[in-house]
Amino acid sequence: MNFNEFWVNLKNLEESISIESPTPLKVVKIYWGAPPQAITDLPAVINGLCAPDRTLGFGSRDERMRINIQLLAARARVEDEQSSLIATAFWYAAKDIFDRDPTLGGTVSFATLKGADPRGYDPTVPVILAHGGQAYIGFNAALDIQSFEPFNF
């Protein structure tokens, strides 16, 4: 997998995530890794790679990895149901976007967006996400990726 091509395609997909209800919004900022300061341009997405699992076979490499995707919809405020509804709408919009392009422009064999907790016990949306000393309402997801490619030893 060519990481630079993958990153460009992932950013393009994430930049296309938008909602019409409860209020029209679109993702305005994408990060690879969390910046150290509080994030002011919202909605924003923070991506991070979880260690890949790799199997080398007879002339091939099967790599499975997980990208943690956190969408920050709004700064958390007391009794703010609207931001929770916005975060939930973004979750459904993100699933639709990733379902339409499961190979991320041909850079991976297959990718599936799901909740970050593989057991399904922790909520996906709406959740409070802390970053840079600020609490946000958003979703916490995982993009499970499989990349199968020829490999020369």
Side-chain angles (χ1 to χ4, degrees), residues 6-132:
F6 166 78
W7 176 229
V8 167
N9 288 342
L10 179 61
K11 278 177 51 174
N12 288 340
L13 276 178
E14 290 175 344
E15 287 171 344
S16 70
I17 300 170
S18 64
I19 61 171
E20 294 300 320
S21 177
T23 185
L25 288 169
K26 66 183 268 351
V27 170
V28 296
K29 189 74 176 167
I30 312 289
Y31 297 93
W32 182 259
Q37 73 281 358
I39 296 171
T40 56
D41 294 331
L42 298 171
V45 176
I46 300 172
N47 298 281
L49 176 67
C50 297
D53 177 34
R54 225 177 37 239
T55 304
L56 298 175
F58 298 99
S60 66
R61 174 175 39 209
D62 184 9
E63 196 166 19
R64 296 169 193 268
M65 62 194 86
R66 176 173 277 200
I67 306 294
N68 180 242
I69 297 175
Q70 294 184 330
L71 183 133
L72 313 177
R75 288 180 180 251
R77 296 184 305 270
V78 176
E79 297 183 23
D80 179 14
E81 183 180 14
Q82 179 76 1
S83 292
S84 294
L85 294 171
I86 289 169
T88 303
F90 268 115
W91 169 243
Y92 284 101
K95 288 194 314 180
D96 287 346
I97 292 291
F98 281 95
D99 285 352
R100 287 188 195 120
D101 188 2
T103 66
L104 281 80
T107 58
V108 300
S109 300
F110 196 76
T112 306
L113 186 68
K114 54 180 75 170
D117 180 5
R119 302 164 298 145
Y121 298 129
D122 294 331
T124 301
V125 65
V127 294
I128 300 295
L129 303 164
H131 179 74

